[in-house]
Amino acid sequence: MIEFVSPTLDYALLAPILIVLGGAVLGVLIEAFAPRKSRASSQLFITLATLVLSQVASLIRVRDRSSSAAAMESVTFDGAGMLIQGSILLISIIAVFLLADQENFTALAAALPGSDEERASLQQDLRVTEIYPLTLFAVAGMMLFPVATDLITLFVALEVLSLPLYLLAGLSRRRRLMSQEAALKYFLLGAFASAFFLMGIAYLYGYSSSVTFAGIHSAVIGGSGNDIYLLLGIAFISIGLLFKVGAVPFHAWSPDVYQGAPTAVTALMAAATKVAAFGAMLRIFYVSFAEAYWQWRPAIIAIALITMVFGSLVAIAQRDIKRMLAYSSIAHAGFLLSGVVALSKSGLESSIFYLFAYGIATVGAFGIVTLVRDSAGEVTDLNRWSGLGKRSPWVATAFAGFLLAFAGIPLTSGFIGKFSIFSAAYESGSTAILITGVLSSAIAAFFYIRVIVLMFFKDPVEDGTSVVIPSIYTQITITVSALATFALGIYPTPLINFIQSSATFLR
């Protein structure tokens, strides 16, 4: 007879995740019982309060504490996990301010595009406030993803973060059909990636007779398992993770979803999801597969090289600002894979810094995109951004700052991030990544600077495009993102020192 053993949970260590989940449940209750007029303000307050409280709990929790037994060894809290969770929370907080601008979202999610029901909902000025609990559920999944240390928990976290994002991607106020197409495409391709991920779990269990990272690591060291199972397990697990980070050849969803989703959702997706996915990838490759690097390192190096070059080259041909940023994110996924390949402490540290710096700049850049509009909504055609610097110099300057950070220009956070991650790759012996990364960065600089030239050195086009006065929420997002981008480029030492003293994986 099987004896039931009650689970032992360390609620203090789990508090940040539980707080976010609690806030999400509270948001659902508000949707069910609160009057419609009070929902938007209540949901925004609860969402921000939840994320800030979770961040505070995270900071209190990390004081000299690390444990792999917080939830029956299914999650591990260590320095690296704490840093990645903190990054996700900070990026989510500034992204929520973008979500607060309800003008970006449909009035009634269930209405057919162009239907009488949708027109009536617009006339009544209805607001979709379900976005807040959905966002909190997604953030909770993102926080669990990089600290999960068994494959079942990792899969649950993957679905918890993914399902709300599939829904959020289809809620754009304008270009409704494109938005719904993006959501459906994201869901279908995400389902395929999840299936591959499950196949990987099955093969790794067959190899090690364990679903924990520590058990798989022990099996790799022992060398008693079937290496074919290990190779297939790593390959299928990698497909699921590479899909989430948008690496080639699993990137096909990125441009369409980035373009079709509400821009505020795109910002959250492009920044926080990438941090969570790379956090999980770093943990599983550094903890479970480190001693089997000969099985996966050549493939990941090849994917990193192709992703850098492909993203940088294809971005040149884009005439839509959101698609250009999507291909830019693909190139950055290639740069970030350098940290996985490095398989060293400096690789881990530089990856965490890069993820945080890139995430902050990405949210700010998409915040700018929400401001350039005409009567039909956001204007994403690059030609219509011509002369933006003369019409709205502050907005154009902020956007130029974010583009320079993406390009890795000195005095921005992007320069420190790229320098550190390429240095780590070089120290690990990956000279090809160093050379390709630098060349790809030079190619990428071309299309970033092309946009800057378009904004500041071209005459404005009289086509009805205007820069709307940003709401206080959007102002906060852009201001915080811009200040952080330049502060991390000018004086990154405190953050680098903090990362160096904390970034370790507990096995």
Side-chain angles (χ1 to χ4, degrees):
M1 184 175 178
I2 299 175
E3 183 180 355
F4 178 75
V5 179
S6 60
T8 304
L9 302 175
D10 187 333
Y11 289 105
L13 282 172
L14 293 168
I17 299 174
L18 295 178
I19 288 171
V20 176
L21 284 172
V25 172
L26 186 57
V28 172
L29 293 176
I30 286 176
E31 285 300 311
F33 298 111
R36 185 182 290 275
K37 287 184 179 179
S38 64
R39 287 180 195 168
S41 56
S42 303
Q43 292 281 23
L44 177 61
F45 174 77
I46 288 170
T47 304
L48 286 174
T50 298
L51 294 174
V52 171
L53 189 60
S54 177
Q55 185 69 283
V56 172
S58 179
L59 291 173
I60 294 173
R61 178 198 68 190
V62 300
R63 289 183 176 176
D64 303 324
R65 287 206 65 185
S66 61
S67 171
S68 61
M72 306 288 286
E73 299 184 355
S74 61
V75 296
T76 294
F77 293 98
D78 49 26
M82 174 274 295
L83 288 168
I84 293 166
Q85 280 191 342
S87 300
I88 292 169
L89 284 170
L90 285 173
I91 290 168
S92 300
I93 289 170
I94 61 171
V96 164
F97 282 106
L98 275 187
L99 294 172
D101 190 350
Q102 294 278 304
E103 181 63 22
N104 297 318
F105 294 94
T106 181
L108 192 63
L112 288 174
S115 64
D116 293 338
E117 191 180 11
E118 185 182 54
R119 280 190 287 273
S121 63
L122 288 169
Q123 289 171 356
Q124 295 172 31
D125 194 26
L126 298 182
R127 305 293 178 94
V128 175
T129 48
E130 299 94 321
I131 55 173
Y132 295 105
L134 286 173
T135 300
L136 286 178
F137 278 121
V139 172
M142 293 176 197
M143 292 177 67
L144 182 59
F145 207 39
V147 297
T149 46
D150 79 44
L151 296 173
I152 303 300
T153 307
L154 193 67
F155 178 73
V156 171
L158 174 67
E159 295 306 304
V160 171
L161 80 87
S162 298
L163 292 175
L165 291 178
Y166 299 150
L167 295 172
L168 288 168
L171 297 181
S172 180
R173 191 179 191 87
R174 298 177 177 83
R175 294 188 287 188
R176 296 276 294 124
L177 285 176
M178 181 185 289
S179 178
Q180 292 184 351
E181 178 189 336
L184 183 61
K185 186 175 291 185
Y186 192 25
F187 168 70
L188 291 176
L189 293 177
F192 276 113
S194 297
F196 279 110
F197 195 89
L198 281 173
M199 287 282 288
I201 292 176
Y203 278 116
L204 287 175
Y205 182 74
Y207 170 76
S208 64
S209 301
S210 173
V211 292
T212 66
F213 288 9
I216 296 168
H217 178 244
S218 299
V220 170
I221 292 176
S224 56
N226 187 329
D227 283 345
I228 299 297
Y229 286 173
L230 176 62
L231 184 61
L232 290 172
I234 293 174
F236 286 129
I237 287 281
S238 299
I239 288 173
L241 295 171
L242 291 170
F243 172 84
K244 277 296 164 199
V245 303
V248 177
F250 312 106
H251 67 286
W253 61 276
S254 298
D256 293 341
V257 175
Y258 276 42
Q259 187 180 19
T263 302
V265 174
T266 306
L268 178 71
M269 192 190 310
T273 306
K274 201 175 284 285
V275 175
F278 266 108
M281 182 177 283
L282 286 165
R283 182 176 292 280
I284 194 168
F285 278 92
Y286 274 58
V287 173
S288 295
F289 304 145
E291 275 73 21
Y293 66 90
W294 48 271
Q295 296 265 25
W296 55 266
R297 203 176 183 195
I300 298 295
I301 288 175
I303 289 172
L305 299 178
I306 295 169
T307 303
M308 290 179 202
V309 175
F310 179 85
S312 301
L313 286 176
V314 178
I316 294 174
Q318 303 306 311
R319 304 306 304 170
D320 184 283
I321 192 72
K322 289 175 77 174
R323 291 186 76 85
M324 190 200 80
L325 291 174
Y327 282 102
S328 165
S329 83
I330 292 171
H332 281 278
F335 301 145
L336 279 159
L337 283 174
S338 307
V340 179
V341 170
L343 207 61
S344 63
K345 190 171 189 306
S346 61
L348 175 63
E349 294 163 1
S350 58
S351 297
I352 292 172
F353 181 89
Y354 196 119
L355 284 167
F356 180 68
Y358 173 76
I360 293 287
T362 298
V363 175
F366 280 108
I368 298 289
V369 173
T370 64
L371 301 180
V372 183
R373 300 181 186 175
D374 62 8
S375 58
E378 294 170 2
V379 174
T380 56
D381 183 355
L382 267 176
N383 291 326
R384 298 177 66 186
W385 284 50
S386 180
L388 187 69
K390 296 174 182 174
R391 286 180 289 164
S392 186
W394 286 108
V395 169
T397 301
F399 193 65
F402 296 130
L403 293 179
L404 291 174
F406 294 149
I409 302 299
L411 301 182
T412 65
S413 58
F415 173 75
I416 305 297
K418 283 190 177 178
F419 180 80
S420 57
I421 206 163
F422 290 152
S423 298
Y426 178 71
E427 288 171 4
S428 69
S430 301
T431 311
I433 281 190
L434 172 66
I435 296 171
T436 308
V438 171
L439 291 176
S440 299
S441 297
I443 296 170
F446 169 77
F447 59 80
Y448 294 132
I449 292 174
R450 184 186 63 181
V451 177
I452 295 172
V453 170
L454 189 73
M455 290 192 297
F456 288 98
F457 299 102
K458 298 285 186 181
D459 294 328
V461 179
E462 298 299 331
D463 60 353
T465 303
S466 62
V467 178
V468 299
I469 298 174
S471 66
I472 184 64
Y473 304 121
T474 305
Q475 285 183 40
I476 291 172
T477 299
I478 295 172
T479 304
V480 171
S481 302
L483 290 175
T485 297
F486 285 103
L488 292 177
I490 295 169
Y491 189 56
T493 308
L495 180 60
I496 290 176
N497 289 341
F498 182 60
I499 292 174
Q500 286 177 339
S501 64
S502 308
T504 52
F505 279 132
L506 187 67
R507 282 183 175 173

